[in-house]
Amino acid sequence: MKIYNTQDIRNIALLGGAKSGKTTLAEAMAFEGKAITRMGSVDDKNTASDYRDIETEKQISVTASLLYAEFNDRKINILDTPGTPDFIGEPIGALHAVEAGVVLVNATSGIEVGTEIIWRRAAKLETPILFAVNQLDHEKANFEDTIRQLKESFGPKVTVVQYPVATGAQFDAVVDLVLQKLITFPKDGGPAVLSEIPESERPRADEMYKLLVEASAQGADDLMEKYFETNDLTIDEMRRGIKLGLGNRSVFPVMCVSAKQNKGVARLLEFIGYNVIPPTEGRGLTTKDGNPYTCDPAKPMTAFIFKTAKEPHIGDIAFLKVMGGEIAEGMDIVNTCTGNKERISQLMTAVGKNRVKVDKAVAGDIVLTMKLKDAKFNQTLAAPSESTVFADIVYPEPIFTTAIKAVNATEDEKLGTALNEMHQADPTLRVDYSRELKQLLLSGQGEYHISIAKWILDNQYKIATEFITPKIPYRETITKTAEAMYRHKKQSGGAGQFAEVSLYIEPYEEGMTPQTKYPIRGTETVDLPWGGRLVFNNCIVGGAIDARFMPAILKGVMEKMEEGPLTGSYARDIVVNVFDGKMHPVDSNEMAFKLAGRNAFKEAFKNAGPKILEPVYDTDVNVPTDRMGDVMTDLQGRRAMVMGMESDGAYQTILAKVPLAEMNRYATTLSSLTSGRAAYGMKFAEYAPVPTDLQAELLKAYEASAAQDEE
Ligand SMILES: Nc1nc2c(ncn2[C@@H]2O[C@H](COP(=O)(O)OP(=O)(O)OP(=O)(O)O)[C@@H](O)[C@H]2O)c(=O)[nH]1
Ligand SMILES: [Mg+2]
């Protein structure tokens, strides 16, 4: 394949709602760009982009694919991303490798949630956006409605560049206001035909053109001035305004296509080639130390790994955006994140599943490389003299968690390895072993996300797995003071064991006044690894217990703190005052005092108004105003405490404190309450006592499971 210069490369990501037609458009673009000779279709499961087993099985995109088109002496790299909101990590990753996003909008169903989420990301990254209204051939297509919705959601900078003369079965021509031509698509395929705009379309075309001129003036200050003075621009000025406006996000042009019938796709490629900024003019990336880094072929070689994948027969694939210099086969480089030396053994460009070898790639290009020893997403490859490290792509926090285990316990290790590999391919899929809950936790962007992960485990890794509701990390504490004495005494044959401990426990509070009932002779404060504190006071008088036994008593108390007396959860926020005890000259030892300390603490705890605490999360739910009522009622059913409300256009944000135990499957419920139009986030806030009836339930459940363990 020909090597293109930086200036002749354009990078776009196809974004937008689920099933809006991105993969179909990518296929048509690759076809128009001579990268494939025949167009496949999603319905026939033979597109270049949706080739993975899971994608042909479900007929959706799950992973971003790289494709390209060669058009008018330019190479256009295309990242086809999934639209299902559960796979949001893919378009987010892709946005870090492109200079423009092409947002597809389905003319039959309008804007979808996923589109709004990715829109906000693009805004943050200052990525230029153009819209492609797709499926105009569909009988239910409605262009006017779609434009109205686009303007409602994304504001007045949404600018119509083309409009269809008719939609549905009659969709065979668009008026292109930039070219000032009618573009007709021949019935039996083949290149589109350009002609003068017919008289019958003139009034509409003129009216739309006025709006286009006004919008294009936003692209540059001099155009704005001229427009204010004369209320008009020349055609060339209008074109310059659109190009600049797309680049600086003051214009969001709208194009028209039927991806499936390959109508309008060549013109879209031409528009992209002409108007999208070259890589050198893009915002570039940020380095780890916060400096902007623009793409530049004159810099030493640097490349950012914005995605990794693993494929059968190939192994690990790294997706690179070359940011500086050029990268070539056989080159010795360094991974600046790990310091590891690597050699580039293979460079490829791709049309989805079909990969094409290239000898080198220049700054601005997007390429694949295989067989690196150890490369992960978010890492930087560079010339050995370089130390640049690019900042990480920030992925959204998980919103759905399940515990998972292998049906066959001997496959636990295999499962761990598989899940870690899957995390490398999809950073939003997270896996954690909780030592506290003794569960392997799998988290992602929704229940569907996790169910797809299970499909991959079942079918690709061939590991049978089971999902279990994750346990809640409860805590235990006390609400009043109590005393207890415990005597540990054992007389068996030779040496006996003896220790007696009396202690007085109180609830710990930040800044509390120390008790005066027993004189405190020494204090040890333990910041507990699971949160909260244990204050351990030595109040022994007259040498009732030797100082050398105190650490053993503390150890015993800590053991019981680690496995709380009520339900085995961690205990927290307690003051223990050891005020008396007894020793035996021969039989007393550390082991005996540990046991006595542990049991005395357990006794006292039970009489100190023990309470189970549960984690409570600060939760913000972003809901369309018309669904507020349902979402609110549901939240109240989850013991939520509503803290406030914020209005945000057609959306409201509910701020609430909700117990984690009530949030299981919330993503799924919220999605069905709002037809997928809401989003939410959660952050740990505090531990709070559980209601009495729930405490009784938890105690019963723990006793039952403890009894079972003993059997
Ligand atoms: N009538 C019509 N159908 C289309 C058009 N483009 C795509 N489709 C159909 O819409 C469905 C979804 O198309 P895809 O290309 O998979 O959509 P997508 O946006 O890639 O979907 P995800 O990646 O899963 O979000 C398929 O059945 C396509 O055949 C179009 O222009 N017209
Ligand atoms: Mg797709």
Side-chain angles (χ1 to χ4, degrees), residues 135 168 190 268 395:
Q135 313 219 5
L268 178 59
Y395 290 97

Side-chain angles (χ1 to χ4, degrees), residues 578-688:
V578 181
F579 65 87
D580 202 2
K582 283 204 180 80
M583 296 181 294
H584 183 276
V586 182
D587 292 348
S588 279
N589 56 31
E590 285 178 357
M591 182 53 112
F593 271 101
K594 191 176 91 172
L595 280 166
R598 182 186 152 116
N599 286 319
F601 176 72
K602 184 176 160 188
E603 275 309 304
F605 194 97
K606 286 195 170 155
N607 297 321
K611 263 295 194 193
I612 299 174
L613 307 175
E614 62 179 344
V616 173
Y617 277 67
D618 276 325
T619 307
D620 55 284
V621 193
N622 194 238
V623 211
T625 308
D626 58 317
R627 303 294 170 93
M628 270 291 277
D630 294 346
V631 172
M632 207 57 137
T633 310
D634 173 75
L635 275 174
Q636 273 148 4
R638 294 173 188 272
R639 298 192 279 125
M641 213 157 74
V642 176
M643 311 300 287
M645 238 157 339
E646 283 165 13
S647 172
D648 170 16
Y651 279 74
Q652 298 264 344
T653 302
I654 307 172
L655 305 169
K657 286 194 188 302
V658 198
L660 180 65
E662 301 290 337
M663 290 302 271
N664 189 30
R665 308 202 148 202
Y666 185 60
T668 311
T669 307
L670 183 66
S671 174
S672 75
L673 284 177
T674 61
S675 326
R677 287 161 60 219
Y680 78 103
M682 284 173 70
K683 203 168 151 239
F684 173 77
E686 67 206 1
Y687 271 97

Side-chain angles (χ1 to χ4, degrees), residues 78-148:
I78 303 157
L79 288 168
D80 171 29
T81 72
T84 308
D86 293 66
F87 310 124
I88 187 78
E90 297 291 318
I92 287 176
L95 275 176
H96 289 77
V98 298
E99 283 74 49
V102 176
V103 173
L104 263 77
V105 187
N106 183 338
T108 69
S109 57
I111 322 298
E112 285 160 60
V113 218
T115 314
E116 282 164 7
I117 298 171
I118 202 65
W119 173 267
R120 275 179 243 162
R121 274 288 176 146
K124 230 168 151 186
L125 292 169
E126 296 168 30
T127 308
I129 294 287
L130 59 136
F131 291 98
V133 178
N134 187 33
Q135 313 219 5
L136 286 164
D137 62 287
H138 199 285
E139 58 181 59
K140 291 205 185 110
N142 187 328
F143 184 72
E144 309 300 331
D145 259 10
T146 307
I147 298 300
R148 196 174 35 73

Side-chain angles (χ1 to χ4, degrees), residues 450-462:
I450 300 298
S451 77
I452 293 289
K454 186 169 166 57
W455 191 98
I456 292 174
L457 286 168
D458 284 348
N459 293 279
Q460 266 165 252
Y461 288 95
K462 311 251 182 268

Side-chain angles (χ1 to χ4, degrees), residues 214-236:
E214 187 184 342
S216 66
Q218 310 286 324
D221 289 346
D222 65 312
L223 297 177
M224 194 80 125
E225 274 168 35
K226 161 129 195 251
Y227 184 76
F228 270 132
E229 274 167 29
T230 64
N231 217 8
D232 201 8
L233 296 179
T234 65
I235 284 201
D236 285 343

Side-chain angles (χ1 to χ4, degrees), residues 261-340:
Q261 298 183 349
N262 188 12
K263 288 176 179 169
V265 177
R267 169 66 181 132
L268 178 59
L269 282 172
E270 179 185 61
F271 188 87
I272 289 167
Y274 184 75
N275 291 293
V276 168
I277 43 178
T280 46
E281 287 171 32
R283 208 196 57 127
L285 293 172
T286 307
T287 62
K288 217 151 217 165
D289 35 29
N291 296 315
Y293 185 107
T294 44
C295 180
D296 185 353
K299 286 180 180 166
M301 198 287 282
T302 55
F304 181 55
I305 304 177
F306 65 93
K307 176 178 169 61
T308 47
K310 192 182 188 80
E311 290 204 3
H313 316 300
I314 294 174
D316 296 319
I317 304 176
F319 287 62
L320 305 182
K321 169 75 181 275
V322 186
M323 290 299 294
E326 60 180 50
I327 189 166
E329 225 182 81
M331 204 166 153
D332 287 313
I333 52 156
V334 60
N335 180 328
T336 53
C337 298
T338 60
N340 289 343

